Amino acid sequence: MTNLFIDGEQGTTGLQIHQRLRQRSDITLMTLPAEQRKDTARRAEMLNSCDIAILCLPDEAAREAVAMIKNPHVRVIDASSAHRVAEGWTYGFAQMSAGQPERIRESKRVTNPGCYPTGAIGLLLPLVNAGLLPADYPVAIHAVSGYSGGGRPAVDLYEGDTAGSGPAFQVYGLGLKHKHVPEIARYAKLSAPPFFLPAYGAYRQGIVLSVALQQRLLPADATASAIHSCLAQHYASGRHVKVLAHEISNDAKRINPESMNGTDDMELGVFSNPENGQILLTAVFDNLGKGAAGAAVQNLDLMLGVSGT
């Protein structure tokens, strides 16, 4: 039996993880009474007496929580962005490379990927590794998430006493310094920061992320067909990432960002216009599933040795 403590279980991601795990017979969920959740001594006690801690906290609070852990046997999954590019932490995106599941399985410190980086890295890394996308390509990424991606304040804005007052659509990150950029560049093996423009829509959850490519800037063999084959081959034997058949992509007229909601899967697509020499890569997934709680549980299962990739 594994003793698991979710630090920050009342947040959007923490609640989702708790709901997913509360019926598990192989896990005992350790919880603090509401009045003790901000008690540093009690939190430290829980963090040091569990087998695995999942941190669903703001970045600074996550760093403080890790510093509280003195027990060398405690393993950590950090759902914040505090440790995503930190040394000594294993990146928790099992499908990104053949050896990643084993690294996660053996690690004591696993950092959950960001929701947007999951889609961006999932599309870009296989292409960079295959030489179909130059590492110095001027990558531009656009992504739209449901408002739950903004955490509890955003959910309250759309569902609380002020429900209906949130904008129908909003673009943010206009300073072009979004915290996900270093994470995407590092794990997609890009030699320069990508252009990244995120947005929220007035729906609860679901992400559609897109990357536009110009054929004239790619190697001669980087056709839409070759790119599709590369992605399909990379994800052929794994779980949780699916690549749309090329003929389905060619016939598609629109993408629904909510189509993967309620799952822990991500669906990738490759669209093209040969006349204009343009290729569009897309990723659709649930920002509360594969983009957050689902990814944490996938990593947990790997660490417990009860799941594949």
Side-chain angles (χ1 to χ4, degrees):
M1 183 71 68
T2 298
N3 292 318
L4 186 140
F5 175 53
I6 304 171
D7 196 2
E9 67 174 21
Q10 294 307 304
T12 305
T13 300
L15 284 170
Q16 287 265 332
I17 295 172
H18 189 277
Q19 291 169 3
R20 289 164 178 260
L21 299 178
R22 63 186 178 185
Q23 301 299 326
R24 292 269 294 259
S25 61
D26 60 331
I27 292 171
T28 297
L29 287 172
M30 302 168 61
T31 61
L32 281 172
E35 65 273 13
Q36 296 181 9
R37 288 174 187 149
K38 294 185 179 180
D39 184 321
T40 301
R42 288 291 289 126
R43 283 180 58 219
E45 181 182 337
M46 297 291 274
L47 286 165
N48 283 281
S49 60
C50 66
D51 297 306
I52 299 178
I54 300 181
L55 310 181
C56 301
L57 302 164
D59 288 3
E60 188 54 38
R63 295 186 187 97
E64 292 171 355
V66 172
M68 292 181 195
I69 299 174
K70 308 302 180 183
N71 183 344
H73 300 293
V74 174
R75 307 173 77 187
V76 179
I77 299 172
D78 185 5
S80 81
S81 61
H83 298 100
R84 288 179 185 153
V85 294
E87 295 303 318
W89 287 76
T90 301
Y91 196 60
F93 184 9
Q95 296 79 24
M96 77 177 193
S97 66
Q100 204 63 14
E102 190 60 29
R103 296 185 189 98
I104 295 168
R105 189 174 288 114
E106 296 179 351
S107 181
K108 286 192 173 181
R109 297 288 184 268
V110 174
T111 175
N112 242 34
C115 54
Y116 294 129
T118 297
I121 296 162
L123 288 168
L124 298 171
L125 179 60
L127 305 183
V128 173
N129 282 340
L132 295 173
L133 183 72
D136 62 352
Y137 187 93
V139 171
I141 302 164
H142 180 254
V144 181
S145 171
Y147 56 76
S148 60
R152 179 60 65 85
V155 172
D156 288 344
L157 176 64
Y158 284 90
E159 298 180 6
D161 294 338
T162 59
S165 63
F169 184 83
Q170 54 184 316
V171 176
Y172 65 103
L174 299 178
L176 305 181
K177 294 181 180 180
H178 196 282
K179 65 181 180 179
H180 287 328
V181 169
E183 179 184 352
I184 295 171
R186 176 170 180 171
Y187 294 108
K189 297 183 180 178
L190 302 177
S191 61
F195 180 98
F196 175 56
L197 186 65
Y200 288 136
Y203 61 97
R204 193 172 203 278
Q205 63 200 79
I207 286 176
V208 57
L209 178 145
S210 60
V211 181
L213 302 176
Q214 297 288 343
Q215 189 94 47
R216 60 187 170 79
L217 302 179
L218 299 175
D221 59 345
T223 62
S225 178
I227 286 172
H228 180 272
S229 295
C230 175
L231 292 173
Q233 182 177 356
H234 181 84
Y235 296 110
S237 60
R239 296 167 54 200
H240 301 302
V241 181
K242 307 171 183 178
V243 181
L244 283 172
H246 208 190
E247 57 271 19
I248 293 177
S249 297
N250 288 336
D251 291 338
K253 304 299 182 186
R254 58 187 59 86
I255 293 176
N256 177 6
E258 300 177 279
S259 63
M260 303 302 289
N261 283 3
T263 79
D264 294 336
D265 298 337
M266 180 165 65
E267 187 174 77
L268 307 182
V270 179
F271 305 83
S272 64
N273 182 330
E275 284 185 20
N276 293 342
Q278 296 173 336
I279 299 171
L280 180 69
L281 312 179
T282 63
V284 179
F285 53 106
D286 186 344
N287 59 288
L288 298 181
K290 184 60 174 168
V297 173
Q298 288 171 21
N299 288 325
L300 174 66
D301 284 343
L302 282 168
M303 294 168 77
L304 295 177
V306 299
S307 174
T309 61

